């Protein structure tokens, strides 16, 4: 894979990529994407519109979007599988028996019919 193509893709997608995938996984996916799309990337880079910037070049935007979608899909799959820690606080609940409201002590006055 030509290193210049990897850097072109990185420049266009890094601000859009989620940060939750392990770095090695992200790099492997980027290298694979660039290898598979090397001809498309070369055509886009040598398109006269690329001189105006990749924002003006629809093929580069399309390829960046495809790669970001792949990363988002992988991120959501790993999140659903519990493989990603987002840093969100976790809540732990403890219960005993069939009725979690009875833990740790049942409230005998919790009955709606009870009145002091």
């Amino acid at each position: 894979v030509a290193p210049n193509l990897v850097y072109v893709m990185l420049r266009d997608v890094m601000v859009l990529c989620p940060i939750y995938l392990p770095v090695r996984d992200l790099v492997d996916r980027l290298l694979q994407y660039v290898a598979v799309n090397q001809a498309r990337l070369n055509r886009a880079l040598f398109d006269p519109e690329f001189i105006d910037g990749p924002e003006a070049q629809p093929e580069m935007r399309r390829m960046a979007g495809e790669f970001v979608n792949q990363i988002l899909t992988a991120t959501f799959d790993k999140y659903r599988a519990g493989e990603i820690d987002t840093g969100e606080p976790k809540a732990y609940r403890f219960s005993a028996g069939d009725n979690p409201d009875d833990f740790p002590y049942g409230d005998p006055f919790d009955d709606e019919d009870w009145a002091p």
Side-chain angles (χ1 to χ4, degrees):
V1 174
N4 62 323
L5 297 178
V6 173
Y7 288 114
V8 168
M9 283 300 297
L10 274 175
R11 183 195 67 207
D12 288 343
V13 301
M14 285 313 294
V15 295
L16 303 172
C17 279
I19 58 171
Y20 298 112
L21 283 183
V23 173
R24 186 75 222 168
D25 192 9
L26 178 66
V27 169
D28 288 344
R29 289 172 185 276
L30 176 63
L31 292 175
Q32 180 183 14
Y33 185 83
V34 170
V36 169
N37 293 285
Q38 189 167 353
R40 279 176 71 195
L41 280 164
N42 280 325
R43 277 193 308 275
L45 285 173
F46 292 104
D47 187 327
E49 289 182 5
F50 190 74
I51 295 172
D52 296 331
E55 311 81 42
Q57 218 279 338
E59 187 62 15
M60 283 303 291
R61 283 196 323 258
R62 193 173 6 264
M63 285 187 286
E66 289 171 5
F67 180 72
V68 169
N69 282 338
Q70 287 180 11
I71 297 302
L72 286 172
T73 300
T75 301
F76 284 131
D77 290 345
K78 287 184 177 286
Y79 179 77
R80 279 189 222 107
E83 299 174 26
I84 291 181
D85 180 15
T86 61
E88 296 174 23
K90 293 177 175 50
Y92 295 99
R93 295 183 61 118
F94 299 94
S95 64
D98 294 332
N99 188 354
D101 293 332
D102 288 342
F103 182 80
Y105 304 104
D107 186 355
F109 303 110
D110 200 21
D111 193 13
E112 291 178 11
D113 296 332
W114 183 84

